Amino acid sequence: MYFLYNLLALSASFVIKVLSLINPKLSLFVKGRKETFSIIKKSISIKDKVIWIHAASLGEYEQGLPVMEKLKIEYPLHKIVLTFFSPSGYEVKKNSTVADSICYLPLDTKQNVRLFLDAVHPEMAIFIKYEVWPNYLAALKTNDIPTFLVSAIFKENQIYFKWYGSFMRKALLNFTHIFVQNKKSSSLLKSIGVHNVSISGDTRFDRVSEILERDNSLDFMNHFKNDMFCLVAGSTWPEDEKLIIDYINQNTHHIKFVFAPHTIKTKHINTIIQAINKPVLCYSELDVKKPEGYDVLLIDTIGLLTKIYSYADVAYVGGGFATGLHNTLEPAIFGIPVIIGPNFDGFVEAEELVQLKGVISIKDSTEFKDKLNLCFVDATHRQKSGQINYSYIKAKEGATEKIMTVINSFFRYKI
């Protein structure tokens, strides 16, 4: 099976290079990997002690961040190498100071694995959630490097639990320890003979709880909101935007609206502006225009949404009508109701919070209007829903501490 896997990995590398000539995202994928070893060489010397953390993309990075921050505190003499698989993670975080070296992970071929591990020479490796790369894991095990899978979640339909999944099942055995989010994942792993497992919960709850401890104030939002009721719509897609814009155009209440669309290309931003028949201000115009006289603020940049949620009386999180629901926990931690579209199956926290009635699922513009109006006129209802969300998150804190206790028991013994 290793022969077939390695053949597939080499074939995938060739195909990706060809497709990168016509696909911008794959072009970033290929060009970025050409810089990996030069990035490592500039920041990591042969004398450095190194901890390697790997995340597929931005979501996994957010899950791994609480652990990364604890590692930096508890192992201050070690450098952190952070790798990404996807451009959507790397391109956003490549200039961050959260790690000493940030780069793409070379594809999982035998030669890449050897070159990468020689360059990084990690004393510990941490993979986030779904990342299972057989050649990397085999090499780490061979070199007796403690390797952990953090915030993992497993489902029956994954290859590990199929009759043809023995190769990937063996890869799981190369982890020193696996931290899973729930009991079901633990039971599934034990059913295939993987017993080095702990139920730690999801580090995302620690991550979003930390949001409350930082300064979330934004001068422009203070002036824009001006103590009025405010809906913040984050990570929206056209399907979400249509029903919200319909509401804005018909609204007679004293409500301020903030749009932070998933796509901030000029053409899309202009489409939103043209569809709204009320005064709209873009974030990029704040240098020349004052926000007080506008009903709608359009955020045509990235990196501000979490802080903007702190000003919301109600949040709408996009994706539930389109490609997949975005992060509901970031607004929920501020103790406000969160409205989403109808498609949230597989998003565990959304499923549970819809049941608890902290998150409100709507299927069309009529339901959106009714639910938002209820939140506007009934402060008690709004506060109750928000408290459900806040309490749900606070009750699930602690995954990071559980993970660090086990990691320390392995790693400190080794070093």
Side-chain angles (χ1 to χ4, degrees), residues 269-296:
I269 294 296
N270 288 336
T271 298
I272 295 175
I273 294 171
Q274 292 166 11
I276 298 173
N277 62 17
K278 295 187 178 182
V280 181
L281 174 67
C282 289
Y283 174 81
S284 58
E285 300 176 298
L286 284 170
D287 287 340
V288 294
K289 296 180 180 180
K290 294 182 178 181
E292 289 89 336
Y294 291 85
D295 295 324
V296 183

Side-chain angles (χ1 to χ4, degrees), residues 157-174:
N157 61 355
Q158 291 173 308
I159 188 172
Y160 314 106
F161 312 107
K162 304 294 185 182
W163 63 267
Y164 50 81
S166 61
F167 175 69
M168 293 301 292
R169 286 195 288 273
K170 290 177 182 177
L172 291 176
L173 294 171
N174 288 322

Side-chain angles (χ1 to χ4, degrees), residues 238-248 259 316 321 339 341 362-366 368-369:
E239 295 87 345
D240 307 297
E241 290 152 9
K242 184 181 184 306
L243 64 87
I244 298 172
I245 290 170
D246 287 346
Y247 182 92
I248 292 172
F259 259 119
Y316 179 96
F321 283 95
I339 301 174
I362 52 99
K363 65 178 183 294
D364 55 33
S365 58
T366 300
F368 175 74
K369 177 182 177 181

Side-chain angles (χ1 to χ4, degrees), residues 191-312:
S191 74
I192 57 172
V194 180
H195 296 284
N196 52 332
V197 181
S198 295
I199 302 171
S200 61
D202 189 346
T203 50
R204 287 182 306 151
F205 293 101
D206 297 329
R207 171 65 178 146
V208 295
S209 290
E210 291 170 0
I211 292 171
L212 294 179
E213 299 173 9
R214 70 188 187 194
D215 182 6
N216 291 297
S217 61
L218 296 165
D219 284 343
F220 72 89
M221 280 300 302
N222 290 327
H223 291 292
F224 172 74
K225 180 173 180 176
N226 196 24
D227 294 326
M228 290 178 62
F229 186 94
C230 182
L231 170 75
V232 175
S235 303
T236 57
W237 291 76
E239 295 87 345
D240 307 297
E241 290 152 9
K242 184 181 184 306
L243 64 87
I244 298 172
I245 290 170
D246 287 346
Y247 182 92
I248 292 172
N249 289 340
Q250 298 171 24
N251 174 58
T252 57
H253 299 303
H254 296 291
I255 299 178
K256 294 275 189 167
F257 301 90
V258 180
F259 259 119
H262 176 76
T263 299
I264 57 171
K265 293 180 179 179
T266 301
K267 182 179 179 181
H268 185 65
I269 294 296
N270 288 336
T271 298
I272 295 175
I273 294 171
Q274 292 166 11
I276 298 173
N277 62 17
K278 295 187 178 182
V280 181
L281 174 67
C282 289
Y283 174 81
S284 58
E285 300 176 298
L286 284 170
D287 287 340
V288 294
K289 296 180 180 180
K290 294 182 178 181
E292 289 89 336
Y294 291 85
D295 295 324
V296 183
L297 179 61
L298 192 48
I299 308 300
D300 53 352
T301 187
I302 61 174
L304 293 174
L305 179 57
T306 303
K307 287 189 175 185
I308 291 173
Y309 277 138
S310 71
Y311 289 85

Side-chain angles (χ1 to χ4, degrees), residues 2 5 108 113 132-140 167-168 171 174:
Y2 263 103
Y5 177 79
D108 191 31
V113 169
V132 179
W133 296 106
N135 281 325
Y136 278 106
L137 290 172
L140 289 164
F167 175 69
M168 293 301 292
N174 288 322

